[in-house]
Amino acid sequence: IFTYIVKFHTSPTMQCTATMPQTTRTTLTLTPEARPRHSFQCSSLSHAARRSLVTRASPSSSSAAAKEEFDARAFRRSLNQTGRYTRKPSNDPESLDLMEEHGVGYSTSGLVAQMKEQGNEWKQGDVTVLLAESYGYCWGVERAVQMAYEARRAYPGKRLHITNEIIHNPKVNQRLAEMEIEFVETNPSETNELGDKDFSNVREGDVVILPAFGASVQEMRLLDEKKVQIVDTTCPWVSKVWNAVDNQARRGHTSIIHGKWAHEETVATASFAGTYLIVKDMKETHYVCDYIMNGGNREEFLAKFTNAMSEGFDPDRDLLRIGMANQTTMLKGETEAIGKLLESTMMKKYGPAELNEHFMIMDTICDATQERQDAVYEMTAHQDSADDPKRLDMMIVVGGFNSSNTSHLQEIGEMKNIPSFWVDTGARIDVEKNTVTHKLAHGELVETSCWLPDGPITIGVTSGASTPDRAIEDVLDRVFKIKSPDFAGIAPKAVRVGKVSHEDHED
């Protein structure tokens, strides 16, 4: 996904071709004019700025001395004493009402709410819709959006900024832009593949929102020095990961982070670590474990993880004592497997008696990602029998095109050979032409004609963790309109919809 974004922003045009799931094959040309108003790409401070502040702790250095230089955990806690730092929602009723009006919260009266009241099923004409048991907004994402809305109301005369996308959903981010919340620009950089953020427009007294993924400790220090009001919407589960890598640094362990080095959350997590190495999957972890057990080509190792390690990383020195952490949107099962592999490797090398001196781990896995995937596996478990009433004819996956967790949902449908259409908004569906512009799991943007067939059809629907219910409702409105031109919409109906309490999860 990251490669796709880079091409999108660096090429005047981009040719996207892919094999159509059905009969039509189309080449799409994306021009600069087709780009969204804001770049919203993963970004950070320059590598030089980031690394100059990152504290390293390894067996060859004094962890205590490093913490005296700069204690990231103590700094973050000190923000609470400034009077310029907010990290919990206020549950302002008017902000919640505006979220409902804008369609960026949970549905309380629309189609999705009514479907949940009917066992996650809906029949409209000859279309049967099955909604995944676990789908859409996780509580941390909804919490972040709520805090952004509350900030706009709480500081009506202030200039508001946000350091990145609040979440990976284009409609939600556009709503914030319409509310005059300015997105910090990211400029091209010769030394930083992610670009350099430009905070020059942020002034003393302004309000700056940190997104659900969090922000690097260097960004927080810069904003504190500028004496701005910080509204920190970081998901508490992400903060839990930061505490884990901080503990590992204090004990002189290198943090092995399961994640994507360019993802905003992992950039932030790495900034709270001491010495770190980022692995994206089991294949890279096996490579690291083989080096731990047998040694290897040091220069090859450093080249392989060029963008995914702390400054001055030395595999011969920094893999003697390790800890495990993760990007919360990665697969729960894969994170667990990586942790077990690292643990077994250190046990083989040092023995059970010395394991605790060389390996540490704490549970930082967020269940939201895995629950949504498990729900899709359950929903697609009825494909073997043509007579099974829950057998799907197709799947629709709704979520931002730069959403990592949404791409995994699309991937499941493709693996099961179910025609699957990943759209970020209902606008991707042309009702008059019965066409859909959609994305495949590995990044191709394609257009499919006649994607909704005549006759009865059963559609499985799910959405990523950054997708509000209204996005699903917009998509299904267009589906129903294609199948029945006389369709006039679903009348609102107030229902009792359970909402997760933020207070149940605050750290």
Side-chain angles (χ1 to χ4, degrees):
I1 293 174
F2 178 70
T3 301
Y4 167 80
I5 294 171
V6 169
K7 289 180 179 178
F8 186 87
H9 285 281
T10 57
S11 302
T13 60
M14 180 178 70
Q15 300 292 327
C16 301
T17 60
T19 302
M20 294 296 105
Q22 298 185 16
T23 58
T24 303
R25 180 184 175 92
T26 303
T27 298
L28 301 181
T29 301
L30 302 181
T31 65
E33 290 71 26
R35 300 174 185 170
R37 177 180 173 186
H38 302 284
S39 296
F40 298 139
Q41 66 186 48
C42 304
S43 58
S44 68
L45 295 177
S46 68
H47 282 301
R50 175 168 51 144
R51 290 178 170 173
S52 66
L53 293 173
V54 171
T55 299
R56 298 184 66 253
S58 70
S60 62
S61 64
S62 168
S63 180
K67 284 297 171 183
E68 288 177 5
E69 180 185 344
F70 176 69
D71 190 324
R73 180 190 293 183
F75 165 73
R76 188 163 182 254
R77 287 176 174 173
S78 73
L79 292 175
N80 289 305
Q81 310 304 318
T82 65
R84 295 180 280 102
Y85 182 71
T86 302
R87 58 178 294 273
K88 290 186 178 182
S90 64
N91 295 319
D92 171 55
E94 293 191 31
S95 295
L96 296 174
D97 288 344
L98 187 58
M99 289 174 64
E100 172 74 12
E101 179 185 331
H102 286 178
V104 298
Y106 294 113
S107 175
T108 59
S109 60
L111 173 59
V112 169
Q114 295 178 50
M115 286 181 67
K116 290 174 69 176
E117 195 176 48
Q118 298 183 18
N120 287 33
E121 295 189 22
W122 188 268
K123 187 168 180 61
Q124 188 71 34
D126 56 7
V127 179
T128 300
V129 177
L130 304 179
L131 180 65
E133 188 66 28
S134 181
Y135 70 94
Y137 263 1
C138 64
W139 72 269
V141 161
E142 193 264 351
R143 169 186 180 277
V145 176
Q146 177 180 326
M147 289 182 68
Y149 268 68
E150 290 173 345
R152 180 67 282 177
R153 271 188 46 80
Y155 305 102
K158 297 281 189 178
R159 297 171 69 242
L160 267 67
H161 312 265
I162 188 167
T163 62
N164 218 313
E165 290 184 309
I166 186 74
I167 60 174
H168 283 158
N169 183 272
K171 285 289 187 181
V172 173
N173 290 303
Q174 189 59 39
R175 280 295 189 185
L176 296 185
E178 291 168 359
M179 293 163 62
E180 297 185 347
I181 297 177
E182 300 178 21
F183 289 78
V184 173
E185 297 291 338
T186 300
N187 299 322
S189 170
E190 294 181 359
T191 60
N192 183 1
E193 287 191 42
L194 303 181
D196 293 338
K197 287 187 181 177
D198 182 3
F199 288 92
S200 62
N201 196 39
V202 178
R203 309 185 188 102
E204 181 176 344
D206 287 356
V207 179
V208 179
I209 301 170
L210 309 184
F213 318 106
S216 73
V217 68
Q218 290 77 33
E219 290 182 11
M220 292 185 192
R221 290 183 73 180
L222 175 64
L223 295 173
D224 183 48
E225 291 169 0
K226 283 178 170 284
K227 299 187 184 306
V228 303
Q229 176 71 39
I230 298 175
V231 177
D232 187 354
T233 79
T234 303
C235 174
W237 274 101
V238 174
S239 299
K240 188 177 180 181
V241 179
W242 295 353
N243 290 336
V245 297
D246 179 84
N247 287 334
Q248 291 161 12
R250 290 172 185 272
R251 290 184 54 182
H253 285 57
T254 293
S255 296
I256 307 296
I257 303 170
H258 176 214
K260 300 175 182 178
W261 68 265
H263 193 282
E264 305 99 308
E265 181 187 324
T266 298
V267 169
T269 296
S271 78
F272 282 90
T275 306
Y276 67 85
L277 181 72
I278 302 168
V279 295
K280 67 179 179 180
D281 51 29
M282 282 292 288
K283 182 178 179 181
E284 289 191 351
T285 308
H286 276 291
Y287 181 92
V288 172
C289 289
D290 182 66
Y291 197 99
I292 290 173
M293 292 299 299
N294 307 307
N297 187 322
R298 180 176 178 276
E299 297 308 315
E300 178 186 276
F301 187 104
L302 295 176
K304 184 177 182 66
F305 294 100
T306 297
N307 295 307
M309 60 187 178
S310 51
E311 184 181 20
F313 187 91
D314 184 345
D316 296 324
R317 178 193 65 206
D318 296 328
L319 294 176
L320 303 180
R321 295 160 69 183
I322 62 174
M324 170 72 186
N326 67 292
Q327 177 184 315
T328 59
T329 57
M330 301 301 282
L331 299 179
K332 175 182 177 181
E334 187 174 42
T335 293
E336 291 175 332
I338 287 173
K340 290 177 181 178
L341 177 58
L342 292 172
E343 182 180 30
S344 64
T345 298
M346 300 309 276
M347 184 177 291
K348 289 177 185 176
K349 188 171 181 68
Y350 298 104
E354 300 294 325
L355 178 63
N356 289 340
E357 290 298 316
H358 294 274
F359 181 74
M360 61 185 296
I361 188 171
M362 87 181 255
D363 183 8
T364 59
I365 293 175
C366 173
D367 290 333
T369 298
Q370 190 67 37
E371 287 172 353
R372 280 147 187 74
Q373 292 165 8
D374 289 345
V376 174
Y377 279 116
E378 173 62 27
M379 188 169 61
T380 58
H382 306 272
Q383 299 303 110
D384 292 339
S385 173
D387 298 326
D388 192 320
K390 291 191 175 183
R391 187 180 190 276
L392 303 180
D393 295 305
M394 67 168 59
M395 272 184 57
I396 298 177
V397 179
V398 187
F401 282 166
N402 58 342
S403 169
S404 175
N405 74 86
T406 307
S407 70
H408 293 305
L409 302 178
Q410 170 68 15
E411 189 174 15
I412 295 171
E414 292 181 11
M415 287 191 303
K416 297 218 171 187
N417 295 316
I418 301 171
S420 299
F421 304 89
W422 173 11
V423 296
D424 55 351
T425 70
R428 300 289 181 178
I429 300 171
D430 189 318
V431 174
E432 292 185 1
K433 297 180 180 178
N434 189 13
T435 62
V436 58
T437 301
H438 58 105
K439 195 174 185 182
L440 305 183
H442 298 291
E444 299 92 341
L445 189 66
V446 298
E447 183 178 277
T448 300
S449 300
C450 301
W451 70 293
L452 288 178
D454 294 331
I457 186 172
T458 299
I459 304 174
V461 175
T462 188
S463 58
S466 291
T467 307
D469 292 348
R470 181 72 63 83
I472 295 176
E473 294 171 349
D474 289 344
V475 167
L476 290 178
D477 275 352
R478 292 171 184 252
V479 169
F480 297 154
K481 189 72 173 176
I482 290 174
K483 295 290 288 181
S484 177
D486 295 331
F487 174 73
I490 304 296
K493 173 187 174 185
V495 299
R496 295 181 61 86
V497 179
K499 175 182 174 182
V500 178
S501 172
H502 300 145
E503 287 74 13
D504 294 339
H505 297 271
E506 299 290 352
D507 60 352

